[in-house]
Amino acid sequence: MSNKLRSHGKNMVVWVLLAMLVLGLGGFGMANFSGRISTIGSVGETDVSVNDYARALRQEMNAAAAQIGRPLTLAEAQSLGLDRQVQGQMFGQAAVTEAARVIGLSAGDAELHRQITAARAFQGLDGKFDRETYRLTLRQEGFTEAEFESKLRADIARSILQGAVAGGLRAPEATTNAYAAYITETRDIAYAELTEADLTTAVAEPGEDQLRAFHSEHADQFTRPETREISYVWLTPDMLMDKVQLDEDALRTAYDSRRDEFVQPEKRLVEKLVYPTLEEAQAAKARYDAGQASFADLAAERGLTLEDIDLGEPSKDELGEAGDAVFALSEPGVAGPIETDLGPALYAMNAIIPAQETSFEDARAELSSEAAADRARRMIGDMTTDLEDRLAGGATLEQMAEETDMQLGHISMAPDTDADIAGYEAFREAAQKVTAEDFPELGNLDDGGVFALRLDGVTPAALIPFEEVRDQVATAWRAAELTRLKTERAAEIAAAVESGASLGAQGVLLTSVAKLPRGGYLEGQPRALIDTAFTTEPGKVGVVTEGERVLVVTVETVHAADPASDDVAQVREMAQTQISQSIANDLLDFYARAAEAEAGMTIDPTAINAVQAQMQ
């Protein structure tokens, strides 16, 4: 497996503490297997647990989802190779852990204690290690203290061995300097985008035979997509609104049940800072009152940020014994010290949020709309069994529309159809999968509605007759011909410049850019223009074609990097770190492979499939 330890730069101790505890991913239950499946494989005597694999795979999927801006399905993760990547990392880490076990490398109690007590996940409100928080967090994650500490001890040992194998590696200076020089080089360039006015040959008018040939040669541009003729019946909550009867008493009951939403007491924006002793709290308050420290300063002195001690927007009752003192403040300030269950505390009041009350009459429209929609969804739910029975009994869609509240419709479904019922993802998926042999079945819409459909026929994708699209063909032909002529003109300009003429003498409108950095940006210009500028030698002309755009670019001056400049030094330092890290990664990969080969590796595909099946 590749990418054995690409995550080794993130200390595995931190991964365990943060990924499992702070992010709260939770234990991965394998209850369906009665506890018989606990590992996805092993390296020597070191197991790779199903829980660790599931957490790591979920973490990678969440990271990928954050990049694309939507949740990632397991099938998509597999198509990207994330499952194999995670398996490689997990078995690579197990191999190093096994190697540490074989040579007798182990973390001492002192280091174990330091790691646990320093972890934010196990700290109380005072910023110090709290044993009860430690126990509760582990229990929530399905660990006993002994199990967690054993795992943590192995992780520490592995990180020590990784440091011994790859620690202290430094990229060769010549490599670092060459990379920094390459990155920081700049160039003076001149470029021009060719237009029809720059051509020496006019675009001719095409003949009928040319257009017909273009129509055939570019059939993909003039082809109707496949369409599926779908008959359907559907029923949505909106369709039943005129049958919904609202009970006034039910609306008032709903209002009363949501009183906390409609009747908001006065609140305060509050932060709470707990101290070990009353004397320390009083001293801190005195410094605040004297203007010697802000509340943020006081929190920082205790290793906390304002986010750590933020209580949100509590009401007076929610503050308990501190309520009177905090609500006595008529403007932002600090109250206390006040004794609490955790010790004496100072309370910073930052803003007053006035009480808000929405009367039943004002809330009635909102309550009515929500209640009606909810009642309509319930009505559809009550009808579901009957509707399913009718379809199972052979009722046609037309009969369903006649005998029930469902409405009949027809739609020609193309890949881009999204109007009306086609706006529902469930309908689009069903319409794409249905065959002529399928009997209509009831499906669910995401607004609580239901539908059933039937495939009446499929119109295959087909080339649109030339006569119907002649104008479109002529427009496309001209655009293609113009691009061809501009490309030929660009080649002529390149030949002239490389023969000794200047680009400015070619009758094109030039734009000059001084000291363009590698990886720079030119507004409105294709990325390929900059890339070409840095692959074109001085005195030569590069040609860039993107769609219908054609540009020529020449390099006027190359500015080598100044090794003594601060910018180059900064890039060199960054390159040193990245190249060194890459070398360390490769070395750890080799070491993990050797450790796997020596200890022997077993993989349980059934267990892997079982884990992934529960993540569907």
Side-chain angles (χ1 to χ4, degrees), residues 522-581:
L522 294 175
E523 185 175 359
Q525 302 306 327
R527 175 71 217 173
L529 176 63
I530 299 171
D531 295 339
T532 301
F534 279 86
T535 57
T536 300
E537 298 178 9
K540 303 288 185 179
V541 172
V543 178
V544 178
T545 301
E546 184 174 277
E548 298 176 8
R549 301 181 67 185
V550 178
L551 302 95
V552 291
V553 59
T554 186
V555 179
E556 298 177 339
T557 307
V558 175
H559 300 285
D562 178 7
S565 74
D566 292 340
D567 289 342
V568 175
Q570 185 176 3
V571 172
R572 188 186 301 113
E573 182 179 351
M574 176 192 68
Q576 177 68 248
T577 300
Q578 292 181 343
I579 296 173
S580 299
Q581 188 71 58

Side-chain angles (χ1 to χ4, degrees), residues 12-24:
M12 277 303 299
V13 174
V14 176
W15 184 88
V16 171
L17 294 176
L18 296 185
M20 292 196 308
L21 304 176
V22 176
L23 295 180

Side-chain angles (χ1 to χ4, degrees), residues 55 97 135 172 195 216 218 288 345 350 381 406 421 439 467 515 533 544 577-578 580:
R55 289 187 183 102
T97 299
R135 290 172 179 159
T195 67
S216 299
H218 299 82
Y288 174 86
N350 300 309
M406 300 189 83
I421 193 172
F439 292 100
E467 289 73 18
K515 293 189 175 181
V544 178
T577 300
Q578 292 181 343
S580 299

Side-chain angles (χ1 to χ4, degrees), residues 422-470:
Y424 293 90
E425 180 66 24
F427 181 85
R428 290 198 302 273
E429 290 182 359
Q432 186 61 38
K433 295 176 182 177
V434 67
T435 68
E437 291 74 29
D438 292 337
F439 292 100
E441 296 181 351
L442 202 66
N444 296 310
L445 301 173
D446 57 19
D447 62 355
V450 292
F451 72 95
L453 56 79
R454 178 185 67 222
L455 178 64
D456 295 330
V458 176
T459 302
L463 181 64
I464 304 173
F466 172 78
E467 289 73 18
E468 294 184 26
V469 290
R470 188 188 186 287

Side-chain angles (χ1 to χ4, degrees), residues 95 157 165 314 530 596:
V165 170
I530 299 171
E596 283 179 0

Side-chain angles (χ1 to χ4, degrees), residues 481-502:
E481 181 68 5
L482 183 57
T483 300
R484 184 184 70 80
L485 293 175
K486 288 191 291 188
T487 302
E488 290 180 356
R489 175 63 177 140
E492 294 173 0
I493 291 174
V497 172
E498 292 173 9
S499 296
S502 68

Side-chain angles (χ1 to χ4, degrees), residues 315-374:
S315 65
K316 183 176 181 180
D317 291 342
E318 290 171 337
L319 285 172
E321 295 181 358
D324 289 337
V326 172
F327 273 70
L329 296 173
S330 58
E331 59 184 23
V334 173
I338 299 169
E339 286 293 342
T340 71
D341 293 340
L342 299 175
L346 298 180
Y347 290 80
M349 191 277 285
N350 300 309
I352 298 174
I353 303 175
Q356 298 178 4
E357 180 173 352
T358 302
S359 67
F360 171 76
E361 288 71 23
D362 291 337
R364 194 181 192 288
E366 178 183 345
L367 291 169
S368 297
S369 176
E370 294 177 1
D374 182 65

